[in-house]
Amino acid sequence: KEPLEQTDPSSIPVKDLFPSGDFPEGEVQEYKNDNLWRTTSEEKREQERLEKPLYNDVRQAAEVHRQVRKYIRKYVKPGLAMVDICETLENMVRKLIAENGLRAGIAFPTGCSLNWVAAHWTPNGGDKTVLQYDDVMKLDFGTHIEGRIIDCAFTVAFNPMFDPLLEASREATNTGIREAGIDVRLGDIGAAIQEVMESYEVEINGKNFQVKSVRNLNGHSIGPYQIHASKSVPIVKGGEQTKMEEGEFFAIETFASTGKGYVREDLECSHYMKNFDVGHVPLRLPRAKQLLATIDKKFSTLAFCRRYLDHIGETKYLMALKNLCDAGIVQRIPPLCDIKGSYVAQFEHTIYLRPTCKEVLSRGDDF
Ligand SMILES: O=S(=O)(c1cccs1)N(Cc1ccc(F)cc1)Cc1ncn[nH]1
Ligand SMILES: [Mn+2]
Ligand SMILES: [Mn+2]
Ligand SMILES: [Mn+2]
């Protein structure tokens, strides 16, 4: 059967567009250097046939990501409230992914960090922030099917003076993706990313800057229901000798800055996430006990934000949430900021190191 046509704005769940259950493959890249044997190995091809259900889950999540961002790019304009941008995006993800509890849905809070805020900012309820013409907004959102997460981000700026800053991150991210591969040292990827990043200079409001790669932000490996697994992918040169391995998912993301190229925690926290390696903890405080039960049921180990607690009907939860954080059960993930007045751009894709090739799962015709 032929895939059906999506409406505009999108309304049909992606799984109904692909009745065969086979979802579009991402961009396939061959591994560099001596891994070319993998492309033709019968054993490796057989291994992939056995992994087909996994590929279709994560490819469905990737197709949802592509369709949502295609609509949102047209929708975002100066003058829109940040809350409206996030809720429009989140409602579209819920529809296109056919949200179903912990089996299919939003994977983490919609990052819409502005200007010198690099990551992990989303408005809390009641926030009045409005998007401006001169803003540099990083839209970083996640989709998942059965806990298989697509973590993918792009930057929106209306003023063309920011184009070279955006291009620096976009080219650096594509360089990181090309360098990635089985047995590649994470530190070597960081060096390649930094070299591209620092080859850019930008003029903003009459001042010249050499673009810096933010040295304390990283890409990361991804596991089932675990947005950051054990490995970090540096975006500057350094000694990281750990290697990438077959069968791993990675978020390759870079951050281009006109500031210090170094971020610190600042502003009110919105993002939270259960610690992956914390088991069952007996709690006496009734509100904390009830909130933990809700988190376990609605988010499990996926990251969430205050607006998501509002969305499921939780109220007056801040003290209980503080209790869970102080007990080490939930971690705060605060906004990460370069110096005030600077600008940061980001591009991010999720890749999978398949037995026969590297698949850029979230690649679209946009970036
Ligand atoms: O900075 S991270 O915490 C990190 C941890 C280890 C290496 S990188 N982080 C993981 C994450 C944390 C909270 C989220 F809601 C979503 C993701 C990277 C990231 N943020 C956005 N996209 N990707
Ligand atoms: Mn991300
Ligand atoms: Mn990421
Ligand atoms: Mn108990």
Side-chain angles (χ1 to χ4, degrees), residues 107-111 119-120 140-141 151-153 216-221 227-233 251 253 255 271-273 302-304 331 333 336 346 348:
F108 53 82
T110 306
H120 304 152
D140 190 341
F141 68 99
D151 177 5
C152 178
N216 62 333
L217 283 175
N218 310 285
H220 50 97
S221 58
I227 185 58
H228 67 78
S230 58
K231 295 179 182 174
S232 291
V233 185
E253 55 194 303
F255 294 83
H271 289 43
Y272 302 85
M273 183 166 68
L302 295 174
F304 60 95
Q331 60 180 301
I333 303 169
L336 298 170
Q346 174 203 17
E348 175 176 32

Side-chain angles (χ1 to χ4, degrees), residues 24-156:
E25 191 176 42
E27 178 202 16
V28 167
Q29 293 187 5
E30 288 189 357
Y31 291 116
K32 285 174 68 173
N33 307 330
D34 63 345
N35 283 306
L36 285 180
W37 58 272
R38 289 178 168 275
T39 316
T40 55
S41 155
E42 193 39 49
E43 179 212 338
K44 292 296 177 185
R45 294 153 80 106
E46 174 56 22
Q47 203 181 322
E48 290 198 351
R49 276 191 284 274
L50 298 173
E51 291 182 351
K52 201 92 166 79
L54 160 63
Y55 295 1
N56 276 319
D57 285 346
V58 75
R59 287 171 181 167
Q60 180 184 167
E63 183 61 24
V64 169
H65 200 282
R66 280 188 288 271
Q67 294 195 14
V68 169
R69 72 194 196 221
K70 186 174 176 185
Y71 172 75
I72 288 295
R73 281 174 97 93
K74 289 184 293 191
Y75 163 77
V76 290
K77 294 283 178 240
L80 286 178
M82 302 308 288
V83 172
D84 294 339
I85 294 171
C86 289
E87 290 181 350
T88 301
L89 187 149
E90 288 149 13
N91 289 333
M92 186 156 287
V93 171
R94 293 186 176 109
K95 209 181 303 177
L96 297 195
I97 203 129
E99 186 179 45
N100 175 17
L102 288 170
R103 301 196 60 191
I106 297 170
F108 53 82
T110 306
C112 50
S113 307
L114 298 172
N115 306 323
W116 61 89
V117 185
H120 304 152
W121 188 88
T122 198
N124 286 323
D127 185 288
K128 301 283 179 236
T129 309
V130 168
L131 186 61
Q132 303 299 315
Y133 174 77
D134 283 329
D135 280 340
V136 177
M137 173 175 66
K138 281 79 58 189
L139 269 183
D140 190 341
F141 68 99
T143 58
H144 82 89
I145 297 283
E146 303 285 356
R148 300 299 180 172
I149 297 169
I150 291 292
D151 177 5
C152 178
F154 60 99
T155 301
V156 172

Side-chain angles (χ1 to χ4, degrees), residues 324-361:
L324 296 179
C325 294
D326 294 349
I329 300 168
V330 169
Q331 60 180 301
R332 292 176 187 86
I333 303 169
L336 298 170
C337 306
D338 202 323
I339 51 168
K340 198 167 171 9
S342 65
Y343 294 95
V344 180
Q346 174 203 17
F347 282 86
E348 175 176 32
H349 275 298
T350 295
I351 68 172
Y352 180 48
L353 302 183
R354 286 169 44 182
T356 66
C357 66
K358 178 178 17 173
E359 183 172 343
V360 189
L361 292 156

